[in-house]
Amino acid sequence: MNWYGVAAIWRFEMARFFRSIIQSIVSPVLSTSLYFVVFGAAIGSRIPEIEGVSYGAFIVPGLIMLTVLQQSIQNAGFGIYFPKFIGTIFEILSAPLSSFEIVLGYVGAAAVKSLLIGMIILATSFFFVDITVKHPLWMMAFLLLTAVSFALLGFILGIWARNFEQLNLVPLLVVTPLVFLGGSFYSITMLPPFWQTLSKFNPVLYLVSGFRWSFFGTADVPVAASLAAVLIFAGICLAIVTWIFRSGYRLKS
Amino acid sequence: MSDIVTVENLSKTYDGGFQALKNTSLSIRQGEILALLGPNGAGKTTLISTICGITAPTAGHIQVGGHDVVTDWRAARKLIGLVPQEINLEPFELLINTVRFSRGLFGQPPNAAFIEKILEDLSLADKKNARIAELSGGMKRRVLIAKALAHEPRVLFLDEPTAGVDVELRRDMWQLVERLRADGVTIILTTHYIEEAEAIADRIGVIRKGEILLVEEKTKLMQRMGKKTLKIELRAPIDAPPDALSEFDLSLADGGQALIYSYDAAGERTGITRLLASLQSCGLAMADLQTSQSSLEDIFVDLVQESAA
């Protein structure tokens, strides 16, 4: 195991994060605060409690998930895409690093970054709403699993993408709609039956629901189903990453 | 001398069907400087990339320091440093961090003193806290070398190290290569500049269309392939070489003001004495004499054209 190599990638990626501190931290905090102000205060005051939770508090887990998903994909995707784009990838490929070690470095750094941002958003929410976390360990577990599996997805996209447009395509056209339609800002019990059934096919629903359960103890789908969904998703991403390195897809000629 | 890199029957065909290397074999000796010469697209970079593990071989085997680059890749790669042809650097990172990064990547524990020394050797020490984007082109090229040396490799590949580099930096680079060789590092460089190979290499390999045409000691190659010419400047121009001198196969130059005589420098009899005596008996008055030796460049052009014919 080349731990120095993993640490080198990890540190390099974290340095990128702290170099662009405004983009990395201030921007997600600012946009989250805007969500609180607009949804929580302005609209939320006209919405009654959902499942015994005030609307402002109800959207906190969804907001954290939204940001963690986006940040994990973006950080890991950019992390591996940028060396490909500027050509420094040759060094990674010629180094005595296994594919597992490379993934550990990039995905590890991306997951840590988005976890940090998730925690910052949670801290920010304390300023806006009254909120307690019922199952803090489960909350951390869901957050960690989500961050890791979506960082894996971002890594895959970063390797697949041939240009910046492709890099942003999937997060923009697939992930963001899935998050918004996955019950981030509402309970799916509020939907007509047909849309409720359709929502069950949205993987993000399971993440948000499980995560929200760790906060309030109520969920749209059983917690076990949420956990299974995250694990399956992480497994699929891992399988694809393994295949990428085995075949050298878009990495080696 | 033992071989540190052996390439056996290596072939590489890219996905598009282009065959960049054809059944290539090559042995690189421990501690030597080997220059690989070849026209653009000859397969130099493919050969290096395959040894370094960036490109997967289609067929054949490569060993570095006794380690197979496919089955025992971790040990093989630790021994190798690569300076690529293109200047590929993360623009926003600090110089020193990119060099530390490279050392870590190759599995070496941090060693601040060693990194300092490399930067010192490459005249980069005073720029170590500058961002890569702020450096000049020549400095960036030296950063690439610093990165390649950061993990103390035993074999260093320099892919066109002096392309687009000014004369002074090129000489610095040659000195650096000499110092590295003194430390026991084996150096393989590809180059377009034949004078570069002539100046620093121990052996020359010529590669063309994915095939290695020859690998030979530089001095032997130049002796074997090199032609010497004697230019005799005349006091008065002539229309044609006198018939009495036909055995020397002379040619006219400078509008009849000079005669050119080609001879084999390595041969036992050069024929010069006889030629000069004959000239005198023909009554031709000489103004001056010049000899010149064909450069590696001439040899290279001959070789590549010969194999193309």
Side-chain angles (χ1 to χ4, degrees), chain A residues 99-122:
Chain A
S99 45
F100 176 69
E101 288 155 357
I102 296 174
V103 171
L104 200 61
Y106 281 106
V107 169
V112 169
K113 288 182 217 177
S114 55
L115 274 181
L116 271 178
I117 294 169
M119 300 319 286
I120 291 171
I121 293 173
L122 181 61

Side-chain angles (χ1 to χ4, degrees), chain A residues 190-207:
Chain A
M190 297 156 83
L191 298 174
F194 171 75
W195 293 103
Q196 277 194 38
T197 315
L198 198 66
S199 294
K200 296 258 165 76
F201 291 99
N202 181 350
V204 178
L205 171 76
Y206 296 85
L207 299 181

Side-chain angles (χ1 to χ4, degrees), chain B residues 24-46:
Chain B
T24 303
S25 294
L26 173 68
S27 294
I28 300 166
R29 297 170 189 165
Q30 172 103 46
E32 74 169 338
I33 300 178
L34 173 72
L36 284 174
L37 293 176
N40 284 329
K44 300 183 298 268
T45 301
T46 301

